[in-house]
Amino acid sequence: MPDDMEALRRMVASLQSQVEEQAHSVLELKNHNDKLEQKNIDLQLKVDKLLQQLFGRRSERRVDGDGQLFLDLGEVATPEVVSALEEAVREAEQVIEDAEEEKQKRRSRPPRKSDRKFPEHLPRVERIVDLPEDRREGLKLIGYDEVETLEWIRPELRVRINKYAKYALPVEKNRADEEPAIISPERPTGLVAGDRFDASVGVEVIAWKYFYHLPFYRQQDLFGGCGWTPSRSTLANIETSVEFALRPLAEHLRSFLKTDACVGCDDTGVVLITPTAIPDLSNHPRAERIGEVLEKAIASGKPSIQANFWGYYASRLPVVAFDFTVSRHRDGPDDVLADYEGTLIGDCWSGFQKIDVRSDSRITFAACWAHARRKIDECRGAFPIQVAKLESLIRMLYDIEDQIKTLDDAERLSRRQSLSRHVLGSIEEYLESEAMSSPKVLPKSNLGQAAAYVRRHWAALNRSTEDARVPIDNNDCEQLMKRVATGRKNWLFKGSLSAGERAANLMTIIGTAIRNDLDVHAYLDDVLRRALAGETDWSALSPHAWRDSHPESIRDYRQDERRQAADRKRVRRARRRQLKK
C-alpha cells in the first residue's frame, strides 16, 4: 500500500470506479436475463397455444379450477337475485329428476319389433333360402324366418332422348312472311345450351361440391363409376349454369336476412389465384377495391392472394348468407349491410368497432362473449387462479341464458337486467381487483392483454342486457363458417373472382336449406326446375317457405339430434347448479 495519502485516494477512487462498472455490468446482465426470461415465457405460451390448437381439445368447457363449479352471485346480491338463484337450484333439481325418469323409461322399455325393420317405403325383393332337395325329402314346410338385409345399388345414369315433332306447312297455304315454314313444339329452357344436361345433373354437381364438399376431380370418379367421365371444365360450366339460374334466389335470401333485428357476422380466409389480367369490372359495385387488390398482386408477381368468405347468420329468421371479397377489408360488411338497420354481433375486429359511426347509427355493434372467454382461456397455463375465477363468472352468464331461453322478450330482458348485470358487475369488479393488477398480472402479459380486451369493449359486451333479441355470443355464425373451412380443405382455392362469388351464392342457398333441415337434393331439384321453367316468386322458393309445403323432405333426425344435445347440455348445467345447494 502506498504511504502517500493522495495515492491512496486515487487507488480508492479507481477501485470504486471498477466496482461501479462491475455493478453496472451486473445490472445490465440482470436486465438482459430478465428480458430473455420474459421472452422465453412468451415463446412457451405461444408453443402451448399452438400445441393446444393442433392437439388439444376444442371444447372450452371446464370443470376444474378455483370456484369453477359454483354459481355464486355474491354477498351483496339483491333479494331478486337471491330468489333467482334459489329458483335456479330448484329448476336444476327438476331437470335432473326428469332426465333420470326418462333414462329409466328408456332402459325398461322393451325394444319393439318395428325398431329392427327398415322404413316401409323402401322397395323389397324377396329371396327364399331353402335346403337342398336331397335334405328336404320327408320334411314338412312350416314357415319362414324373415331377415331384412339392406342393399346399396350404385346410382345409374341414363340418356333421355327428346324427339320434338316437326310439321311443315303445305306449299299451297298462304302464310305471312314472318310465319315459319316448319312448326315444332316449344322447347323448354335447358340448364345449358342445347339442353344436354338435365337439372338433376346440375343438382348432383352442386350438392356434391357444397354439401358433401367434393371437388371436381373426385366428382369425376363418382360419375366415372356410373359410366360417364366428364371433364372438370364441363363440371365447372354446369356449376356456372346452376348459379346463374338461382342467383336471384340468393339475392332474395340476403335481403330477407337483413329484416332480422340482429345478425351475426364472421369471416375466414381462402386462397384466390391471381389472374393474369384485371377482369372486366364494369358495373361491379366493388370495382375500385377489387381493381386495387388485383392490380397490386399482378404487379408484385404473387401467384395467389388471401381472399375472404363472410358468413351472416340471422338470429331469429331461418336464413343464412355468404359473401366473397378479395381481401379482409371492411367494405365487405359495409356493402352487404348498406341498407340494414339493427344489431350486428361479432368479434371485436376493427372493421366492426366503428360500424355504428359509418352507418350513421343505423347499426349497433354487439361483442361476442365467446371470443372474450376464449382469450381468457388461453391464459390458463400461466394464470390458473385468475382464469378459473373469470371463467366461473362468465359461465354464470351462460347459465342465466340457459334458464331464460324459453321466456318471452320482455321477461328475458328483465332477467338480463337484474341477473346478468349483477354478474357483469362482479366481472368488472374482479378485473379491477388486486388479483388482476400489477405485479400479479402485468399489462403486457397474455392475461393482461385479455383483460384489456374485455375492458376496451365493455359497452359492446353488455349490449345483450339492452336488447332481448341480441344473443350473448356469435357461436351460431362461427359454426356456420365450418362449412367454408371444410370445403376449403377439399377444393383448396378459388380460381377466379367470379368463382368465389358463385360459391358465395350457392352456399347461401344450400346453407339456408341446411338450417331448415331440408333434404338438399330434393329442394335444389324442385327449385332449379321451377326457376328454369320461368318461376320468379323467390319468396315461395325460399327454403323456409318450401319447407312448409314439403314436410316429407324435412330431416327430422337432425332436429332430434339437436334436441338430444340440448337436453344433455341442460342436464350438465343443472348438475353444476345443484352443487350450490
Side-chain angles (χ1 to χ4, degrees), residues 208-219:
W208 280 351
K209 186 170 184 180
Y210 296 109
F211 182 54
Y212 297 113
H213 311 295
L214 297 177
F216 287 154
Y217 73 89
R218 293 182 188 167
Q219 294 189 28

Side-chain angles (χ1 to χ4, degrees), residues 27-66:
L27 182 60
E28 287 184 345
L29 287 174
K30 185 177 182 304
N31 291 335
H32 183 63
N33 182 66
D34 290 342
K35 291 180 180 179
L36 289 177
E37 186 176 354
Q38 183 61 41
K39 185 177 181 180
N40 182 59
I41 293 173
D42 294 340
L43 290 174
Q44 186 61 46
L45 290 173
K46 290 180 180 179
V47 170
D48 293 341
K49 181 179 178 180
L50 291 173
L51 289 174
Q52 173 68 22
Q53 291 176 348
L54 288 173
F55 307 110
R57 59 178 291 171
R58 299 297 184 185
S59 173
E60 297 169 13
R61 179 165 55 91
R62 300 287 184 178
V63 294
D64 57 335
D66 179 43

Side-chain angles (χ1 to χ4, degrees), residues 71-119:
L71 180 64
D72 185 3
L73 298 181
E75 297 179 357
V76 296
T78 62
E80 182 182 3
V81 173
V82 174
S83 174
L85 177 58
E86 294 173 350
E87 180 185 347
V89 173
R90 291 193 298 271
E91 180 187 354
E93 293 174 350
Q94 186 62 44
V95 168
I96 295 172
E97 183 179 343
D98 293 344
E100 291 296 332
E101 289 181 2
E102 182 62 26
K103 186 186 297 184
Q104 292 297 328
K105 289 180 181 179
R106 288 197 302 268
R107 288 177 177 176
S108 59
R109 183 177 60 195
R112 296 173 296 180
K113 188 176 181 180
S114 59
D115 293 340
R116 299 192 297 267
K117 286 185 174 292
F118 295 108

Side-chain angles (χ1 to χ4, degrees), residues 257-265 312-315 337 340 342-346 474:
L257 176 136
K258 289 183 284 188
T259 61
D260 202 334
C262 181
V263 171
C265 182
Y312 298 88
Y313 190 95
S315 295
L337 303 175
Y340 176 66
T343 301
L344 175 70
I345 183 169
N474 195 34

Side-chain angles (χ1 to χ4, degrees), residues 507-526:
M507 286 192 294
T508 295
I509 298 170
I510 292 177
T512 304
I514 294 172
R515 183 171 179 181
N516 285 272
D517 298 317
L518 295 180
D519 179 345
V520 173
H521 282 81
Y523 171 71
L524 287 178
D525 188 80
D526 182 60

Side-chain angles (χ1 to χ4, degrees), residues 172-240:
E172 64 276 4
K173 182 177 181 180
N174 295 325
R175 59 183 180 87
D177 293 338
E178 64 274 7
E179 187 177 1
I182 298 176
I183 300 176
S184 182
E186 183 179 354
R187 303 190 182 188
T189 303
L191 182 61
V192 298
D195 197 17
R196 286 181 51 80
F197 301 108
D198 185 64
S200 58
V201 178
V203 168
E204 286 299 319
V205 172
I206 298 307
W208 280 351
K209 186 170 184 180
Y210 296 109
F211 182 54
Y212 297 113
H213 311 295
L214 297 177
F216 287 154
Y217 73 89
R218 293 182 188 167
Q219 294 189 28
Q220 284 180 303
D221 293 332
L222 292 172
F223 280 119
C226 300
W228 172 61
T229 307
S231 65
R232 300 180 194 178
S233 61
T234 297
L235 297 176
N237 289 337
I238 293 174
E239 176 189 335
T240 302

Side-chain angles (χ1 to χ4, degrees), residues 62 64-66 68 373-394 430 436 441 446-447 450:
R62 300 287 184 178
D64 57 335
D66 179 43
Q68 196 66 2
R373 180 182 59 187
R374 194 172 301 132
K375 290 183 177 295
I376 293 171
D377 188 73
E378 291 172 356
C379 313
R380 174 175 289 271
F383 303 92
I385 302 300
Q386 293 93 329
V387 169
K389 179 63 176 179
L390 285 171
E391 286 192 342
S392 68
L393 292 170
I394 295 174
Y430 187 73
M436 291 293 295
V441 177
N446 55 356
L447 183 58

Side-chain angles (χ1 to χ4, degrees), residues 430-446:
Y430 187 73
L431 288 174
E432 303 301 330
S433 67
E434 183 181 353
M436 291 293 295
S437 304
S438 182
K440 292 185 178 180
V441 177
L442 297 177
K444 291 188 177 181
S445 65
N446 55 356

